[in-house]
Amino acid sequence: MNVTKLNQIYEGKAKKVFKTSDENLYIVEYKDDATAFNGVKKGTITGKGVINNKMSNIMFKLLEQNGIKTHFVEELSDRETLVKAVKIVPLEIIIRNVAAGSFSKRYGVEEGTILKNPTLEFSLKDDALNDPLINNSHITALNIATEQELKNISDMAYKINDVMKKFFAGIGIKLIDFKIEAGRFQNEIILADEISPDTCRFWDAETNKKLDKDRFRRDLGNVEEAYQEIFSRITNK
Ligand code: UDP
């Protein structure tokens, strides 16, 4: 598509966002920077930006094929993708199939415990407040999203879980949990942000080896290799 990259409008922990000559489109640029614990731990994962860009785009295409609307438009380069210019709903939308991370800590449940049903939770995206958990009545009370939008977001999240769980099972990976973000675009809620080892927990189905950002968060070593391993399995290379 023939659009010109214009000024940067936002820089997050892992991506930059640029305006384009088309007001309905942005360009996202993925970085190798990694942070954890709300920015307290900082580092670089070499090659991560390229993998997260390409992997997210593969996942967005898979989800589109399954009837889920996403912000994806076109991959422009190894690190850059053209996306719809959404307004992000400031929520982290988290689905869990297996207990891990903050869920295990909060409820005293051993990591790896299979949950009887997938769970859905929301955190308010606000670094200054440390992304606190927030419930549906808080979200509507604070005008963050309407009840209808929350229903659309929840339905979308569970559907994404069904599609991704099946897809990853097919390549020998357990989808433990993941975080997504939703955006508003032309009066609709669509999937935005990214889907990558930064935002999902992936465990090898046979060995339970962690193949995601927990290797960085917990200093487990072989971080780059884990990202590469996931990407190789997805692309079958
Ligand atoms: N997650 C994320 N960004 C965040 C917090 C969580 O992408 O700011 C993802 C995380 O990678 C995991 C899932 O959401 O796949 C659940 O994370 P959890 O709430 O267990 O938080 P953590 O243990 O990472 O603090």
Side-chain angles (χ1 to χ4, degrees):
M1 215 173 286
N2 216 353
V3 293
T4 312
K5 192 173 182 179
L6 300 177
N7 54 304
Q8 181 179 311
I9 50 166
Y10 174 80
E11 177 159 10
K13 294 174 194 135
K15 295 187 287 299
K16 296 176 181 174
V17 182
F18 297 83
K19 275 195 170 171
T20 71
S21 46
D22 182 334
E23 63 173 11
N24 287 315
L25 299 172
Y26 289 156
I27 289 172
V28 291
E29 188 181 307
Y30 287 74
K31 307 187 285 182
D32 284 351
D33 298 354
T35 62
F37 315 118
N38 197 16
V40 172
K41 183 178 166 82
K42 289 194 177 75
T44 301
I45 302 174
T46 307
K48 171 173 88 83
V50 175
I51 288 178
N52 287 5
N53 181 37
K54 290 176 178 286
M55 172 170 171
S56 291
N57 294 341
I58 291 168
M59 301 315 299
F60 289 142
K61 284 185 222 169
L62 171 75
L63 293 169
E64 291 272 1
Q65 284 162 13
N66 284 275
I68 292 149
K69 294 200 171 148
T70 79
H71 74 167
F72 176 75
V73 178
E74 185 186 345
E75 191 167 296
L76 299 176
S77 72
D78 275 1
R79 289 177 186 272
E80 295 169 297
T81 293
L82 191 64
V83 298
K84 292 172 188 156
V86 304
K87 282 228 154 48
I88 292 283
V89 179
L91 294 172
E92 302 207 326
I93 303 147
I94 295 174
I95 291 267
R96 303 175 190 269
N97 299 303
V98 176
S102 70
F103 183 95
S104 286
K105 211 181 257 173
R106 192 182 322 129
Y107 301 119
V109 183
E110 200 186 334
E111 272 211 327
T113 306
I114 295 169
L115 302 171
K116 252 185 74 187
N117 52 267
T119 66
L120 169 67
E121 75 206 39
F122 301 109
S123 292
L124 178 65
K125 245 175 90 83
D126 187 328
D127 284 343
L129 298 175
N130 222 347
D131 298 343
L133 273 178
I134 189 164
N135 73 21
N136 292 42
S137 72
H138 299 153
I139 292 168
T140 53
L142 294 173
N143 235 341
I144 294 165
T146 65
E147 214 158 301
Q148 183 60 51
E149 284 178 326
L150 271 183
K151 183 176 183 321
N152 295 348
I153 287 172
S154 307
D155 290 350
M156 175 172 82
Y158 283 119
K159 178 119 196 256
I160 290 171
N161 187 42
D162 289 342
V163 174
M164 293 219 305
K165 230 173 22 184
K166 206 180 287 171
F167 174 78
F168 284 104
I171 53 173
I173 290 164
K174 289 189 219 167
L175 178 63
I176 304 301
D177 58 30
F178 62 91
K179 184 263 311 184
I180 52 172
E181 292 181 24
R184 296 186 181 96
F185 185 73
Q186 296 171 351
N187 292 320
E188 253 190 328
I189 288 288
I190 65 174
L191 178 66
D193 195 49
E194 66 178 283
I195 296 181
S196 72
D198 273 13
T199 62
C200 306
R201 284 194 169 97
F202 298 122
W203 294 3
D204 179 87
E206 298 215 323
T207 63
N208 280 340
K209 183 179 175 189
K210 294 179 182 10
L211 296 170
D212 55 55
K213 196 170 152 189
D214 272 346
R215 301 206 75 82
F216 169 79
R217 293 189 189 101
R218 303 178 187 187
D219 295 318
L220 300 175
N222 296 316
V223 184
E224 281 86 0
E225 289 81 354
Y227 280 69
Q228 189 55 60
E229 165 84 32
I230 284 286
F231 189 62
S232 302
R233 287 209 212 173
I234 289 172
T235 53
N236 213 352
K237 274 182 218 144

